[in-house]
Amino acid sequence: MTTATIQRFQELKTPFYYYDLELLRETLRVAVREAGRHGFHLHYAVKANANPRLLAVIREHGVGADCVSGNEVAAALENGFPAAGIVYAGVGKSDEEIRLALERGISCFNCESFPELEVINDIAVSLDKIARVALRVNPGVDAHTHHYITTGIEENKFGFPLRDLERAIRYCQGLSNVEWSGLHFHVGSQITDPTVFRDLCARANEVQRHLVGHGLLATRINFGGGLGVDYERPDASPIPGFADYFEAFATGFEALPGQQVHFEPGRSIVAQCGSLISRVLYVKKGTDKEFVILDAGMNDLLRPALYQAYHRIENLTSTSPDREAYDVVGPVCESADCFGKAVNLPVTRRGDLVAIRSCGAYGEVMASRYNLRPLAPSHFSSGE
Ligand SMILES: *Cc1c(COP(=O)(O)O)cnc(C)c1O
């Protein structure tokens, strides 16, 4: 962050989210270009960050939206995403949400169970609409990531198990107002091991061969999101490796002629453009440790408490040449309200400004008013 930006922060009430819209635009340019090389379609996963200013920038780049609630569908539409580019996933869609999505004419439902298919068909009949659906498959691929963000292995609530897939497709074909259009895979998030994507392609190829053998042709295959970002070094690698990521699918997945391939990146688009900016309230000496107590808490950024996630923490204003190890914590009455343990920082004092980096994804959207704390506002890079 530039001196001028930090200067500007001095005048703002903390904590707040700061978004670098230039970095967001550059990230989108790269993602769209690299997907475009292979003719792949992108839908931004709105759940990663639904800030209207960010949604407007993302929509300008011509990507669609991947939504996981009726309100996300409504937010995508309000912010100018065309209905024809909206896909809607989730294990527990309510009747009201399904009705909204059908009335607004979204492109596709990603469906996860037999009873859901039945309900979608009933509602489509009542509205005299056809619901296009992709079936979410649980492909049995381990994403090797935190167990809370792994979704593609057996024994979790997501998707159809492979053994039910063919029956589910036949079931769709028997429904009057449902049109089966394809398969949806999403195996987890913050995936940094490229072999996971290779395994996913191999499994998708197997599934596809099996279905083709039974005369079932999917018109679209959706590989979901999941590409990880570098939380350790946000400045060294601000833009995730989209080229290698899409290349892995272009070479690994055997698309059928005319088959559309879709992706739903969330974190990889928005994580690095956001920081949570906070002020140091107190520096407290314990017996063996020193604590830096911030005015931002787990209600502003839940990831460290929820997933033991690492975020880089920087003191933006200390000029001390000496360094210390601090536990950096928030003011919320929970031991889990800790952003980092033994964080090496320049000697820190009350009033210093601190940046918690890579907060653009799953930061502001997960904010709560726990302890009746106010929701933190957002500010944007200079000139905007
Ligand atoms: C969360 C989610 C995504 C986005 O995942 P990222 O890891 O943020 O890219 C995409 N698709 C579905 C169905 C999801 O649930």
Side-chain angles (χ1 to χ4, degrees), residues 43-48 66-68 87-90 110 112 136 149 151 158 184-191 222-228 245 263-270 361-362:
H43 304 264
Y44 166 65
V46 174
K47 79 168 192 273
D66 161 47
C67 302
V68 291
V87 296
Y88 176 19
N110 292 328
E112 315 221 5
R136 179 162 179 182
I149 51 176
T151 60
F158 296 104
H184 180 225
F185 302 88
H186 171 77
V187 293
S189 199
Q190 185 52 18
I191 298 168
N222 184 332
F223 285 109
L227 175 61
Y245 173 67
F263 292 86
E264 302 168 336
R267 186 191 312 271
S268 55
I269 301 290
V270 291
Y362 308 108

Side-chain angles (χ1 to χ4, degrees), residues 6 44 128 184 210 243 251 262 344 371:
I6 296 166
Y44 166 65
D128 194 24
H184 180 225
H210 174 83
T251 52
H262 294 248
N344 186 281
N371 286 196

Side-chain angles (χ1 to χ4, degrees), residues 138-140 147 150-161 163:
N138 186 337
H147 61 284
T150 294
T151 60
I153 46 175
E154 286 266 18
E155 303 291 15
N156 70 46
K157 67 180 180 179
F158 296 104
F160 288 89
R163 63 176 178 280

Side-chain angles (χ1 to χ4, degrees), residues 92-112:
K93 303 178 186 78
S94 73
D95 295 19
E96 195 186 343
E97 291 175 312
I98 293 167
R99 202 170 295 119
L100 168 93
L102 277 170
E103 281 169 352
R104 300 299 199 88
I106 65 155
S107 147
C108 188
F109 289 86
N110 292 328
C111 291
E112 315 221 5

Side-chain angles (χ1 to χ4, degrees), residues 109-130:
F109 289 86
N110 292 328
C111 291
E112 315 221 5
S113 68
F114 286 98
E116 182 195 337
L117 287 169
E118 186 183 350
V119 169
I120 288 178
N121 188 61
D122 289 348
I123 297 173
V125 168
S126 74
L127 296 172
D128 194 24
K129 302 259 187 197
I130 299 293

